[in-house]
């Protein structure tokens, strides 16, 4: 699930002197990093083509000096269910509605960047997915690091209309399984439904930007893990494509909307939600594995714990330290074919904190 509210991370008001010292320390660290060519000590590309977004929330610093969102109060537990440990993870894409070839290619480039075989400079999408491989099931098997696109199906005729419910999304999957035809991949498969910008989905924009669950045998014939994510470009970019679009109440306050890395507010915004849902789907595919809270019908999962965090120092509405290219486009990780993406951080079971490959500490 992708709740729309900001993550509840703890922040403390710091004295002006401490803020000054903090900025002095980080400035010194950046200077040292940029002068050192050693890849073992510096993961960020600090070439003059790039720069770190320097904006910090006024008089507020993370309570953790090293890892954002760290808290002893988060009780993320394993509930004995399976994770997606079989390798590779096969993604079956279902394009619902009208999608341009360029939008499809952008999303597929992100998905194909998840595997370690992808060649991309650090910080990379594959580095981000590595955190997922730290999660295990009761046998000790880790979430697979290899992710493939195993099949695609385009539902160009809106076979179930342009207004979908959670149950009718399962019918969309059933149609794809019968029509594609997709194999019934119990062991390795996940089914990713992506709806175009003209499709209205139950709770979209109001309560969710995407969600994951598993299909019912009565609807699809099988129990299969799946996720849905919608393109919010026309309906609610200020909600589901933040920080590339801002809500009206934020107008004039703060740094303003950031430029998307691939020049598309809707699809660039989707990509972070896709990452969020795939991370949770991989670690909690049948809603009985990794989550916090006691209610499996409303679990707090590893993406929910870090929503809104994209870099060091983030929290309280501030996304954290990220990068900009020469055209002013914002990103925090690299992908295949020279792509850049802005993807939220996820909870690390080792650090017990939100983590991402672009961390500065």
């Amino acid at each position: 699930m992708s709740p729309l509210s900001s993550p509840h991370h703890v922040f403390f008001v710091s004295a002006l002197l401490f803020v000054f010292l903090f900025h002095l320390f980080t400035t010194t660290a950046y200077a040292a990093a940029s002068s050192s060519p050693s890849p073992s000590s510096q993961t960020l590309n600090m070439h003059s083509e790039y720069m770190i977004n320097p904006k910090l929330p006024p008089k507020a610093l993370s309570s953790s000096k090293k890892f954002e969102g760290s808290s002893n109060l988060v009780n993320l537990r394993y509930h004995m269910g399976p994770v997606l440990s079989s390798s590779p993870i096969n993604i079956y894409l279902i394009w619902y509605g009208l999608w341009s070839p360029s939008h499809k290619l952008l999303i597929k480039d992100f998905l194909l960047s998840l595997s370690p075989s992808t060649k991309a400079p650090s910080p990379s999408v594959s580095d981000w997915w590595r955190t997922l491989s730290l999660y295990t099931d009761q046998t000790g098997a880790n979430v697979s690091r290899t992710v493939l696109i195993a099949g695609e199906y385009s539902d160009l005729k809106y076979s179930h209309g342009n207004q979908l419910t959670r149950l009718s999304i399962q019918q969309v999957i059933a149609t794809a399984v019968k029509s594609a035809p997709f194999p019934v991949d119990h062991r390795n498969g996940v089914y990713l439904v992506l709806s175009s910008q003209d499709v209205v989905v139950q709770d979209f924009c109001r309560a969710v930007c995407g969600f994951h669950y598993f299909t019912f045998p009565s609807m699809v014939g099988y129990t299969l893990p799946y996720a849905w994510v919608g393109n919010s470009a026309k309906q609610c970019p200020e909600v589901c494509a933040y920080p590339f679009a801002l809500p009206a109440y934020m107008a004039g306050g703060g740094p303003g909307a950031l430029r998307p890395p691939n020049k598309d507010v809707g699809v660039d915004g989707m990509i972070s939600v896709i990452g969020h849902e795939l991370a949770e789907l991989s670690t909690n595919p049948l809603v009985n594995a990794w989550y916090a809270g006691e209610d499996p019908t409303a679990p707090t999962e590893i993406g929910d714990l870090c929503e809104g965090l994209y870099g060091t120092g983030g929290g309280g509405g501030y996304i954290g330290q990220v990068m900009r290219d020469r055209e002013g486009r914002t990103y925090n990780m690299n992908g295949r074919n020279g792509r850049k993406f802005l993807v939220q951080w996820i909870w690390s079971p080792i650090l017990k904190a939100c983590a991402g490959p672009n961390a500065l500490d």
Side-chain angles (χ1 to χ4, degrees):
M1 187 73 68
S2 296
L4 302 180
S5 58
S6 298
H8 300 290
H9 299 287
V10 181
F11 288 84
F12 297 97
V13 176
S14 302
L16 290 176
L17 177 61
F18 184 80
V19 173
F20 169 76
L21 291 175
F22 176 81
H23 281 290
L24 180 63
F25 171 79
T26 53
T27 302
T28 304
Y30 295 159
S34 61
S35 64
S36 172
S38 171
S40 63
S41 61
Q42 177 64 33
T43 60
L44 296 182
N45 186 342
M46 299 297 285
H47 189 275
S48 58
E49 179 182 357
Y50 306 94
M51 71 176 190
I52 299 296
N53 180 356
K55 292 183 180 294
L56 287 171
K59 301 181 183 180
L61 298 174
S62 170
S63 60
S64 166
K65 294 182 180 179
K66 192 168 186 181
F67 302 111
E68 276 39 72
S70 60
S71 173
N72 293 327
L73 301 178
V74 173
N75 186 24
L76 183 73
R77 294 191 299 116
Y78 176 58
H79 296 79
M80 304 306 290
V83 300
L84 297 184
S85 58
S86 296
S87 188
I89 296 173
N90 290 329
I91 295 180
Y92 297 92
L93 281 170
I94 301 171
W95 305 97
Y96 193 81
L98 299 178
W99 286 90
S100 70
S102 62
H103 285 168
K104 286 184 176 182
L105 183 60
L106 174 54
I107 291 172
K108 289 193 288 186
D109 274 344
F110 170 70
L111 296 174
L112 293 173
S113 297
L114 295 169
S115 296
S117 59
T118 302
K119 294 182 179 180
S122 292
S124 69
V125 176
S126 177
D127 295 336
W128 176 83
W129 189 260
R130 184 184 295 122
T131 299
L132 272 296
S133 69
L134 300 175
Y135 288 88
T136 62
D137 62 16
Q138 57 185 312
T139 70
N142 299 77
V143 170
S144 173
R145 288 209 60 198
T146 303
V147 181
L148 302 177
I149 297 175
E152 298 179 63
Y153 174 70
S154 295
D155 195 329
L156 301 174
K157 296 183 178 180
Y158 303 80
S159 62
H160 297 275
N162 65 353
Q163 297 188 30
L164 301 176
T165 65
R166 289 177 181 252
L167 285 179
S168 63
I169 287 176
Q170 295 200 25
Q171 293 173 335
V172 169
I173 296 171
T175 298
V177 168
K178 294 173 184 176
S179 304
F182 284 160
V184 178
D185 193 345
H186 291 288
R187 182 175 175 82
N188 297 63
V190 296
Y191 298 79
L192 180 57
V193 181
L194 303 174
S195 58
S196 56
Q197 59 188 357
D198 57 339
V199 177
V200 177
V201 177
Q202 178 185 358
D203 294 329
F204 187 32
C205 299
R206 184 188 66 81
V208 297
C209 299
F211 63 81
H212 75 91
Y213 206 59
F214 53 86
T215 61
F216 303 145
S218 60
M219 299 289 291
V220 181
Y222 309 93
T223 299
L224 304 169
Y226 76 93
W228 160 82
V229 179
N231 186 341
S232 67
K234 289 186 176 180
Q235 298 180 53
C236 59
E238 72 283 357
V239 174
C240 293
Y242 179 88
F244 305 131
L246 299 180
Y249 68 82
M250 294 181 67
L258 302 178
R259 295 188 63 187
N262 301 287
K263 301 181 180 180
D264 192 288
V265 169
V267 178
D268 274 309
M270 277 187 81
I271 284 171
S272 187
V273 182
I274 290 171
H276 176 125
E277 298 303 333
L278 285 180
E280 295 180 345
L281 187 63
S282 298
T283 55
N284 196 27
L286 300 182
V287 200
N288 61 356
W290 289 94
Y291 63 88
E294 300 303 322
D295 183 1
T297 65
T300 300
E301 300 171 287
I302 67 169
D304 302 328
L305 291 167
C306 304
E307 189 161 357
L309 289 176
Y310 297 82
T312 299
Y318 168 62
I319 70 169
Q321 300 265 4
V322 294
M323 294 172 282
R324 287 178 178 159
D325 65 13
R326 288 181 172 178
E327 297 182 28
R329 295 178 293 185
T330 308
Y331 68 102
N332 65 350
M333 56 190 76
N334 298 288
R336 72 193 300 260
N337 295 330
R339 296 281 198 186
K340 295 176 173 62
F341 303 102
L342 186 70
V343 183
Q344 72 153 87
W345 284 11
I346 51 178
W347 188 264
S348 165
I350 304 301
L351 302 176
K352 299 190 185 306
C354 298
N358 59 311
L360 296 176
D361 44 15

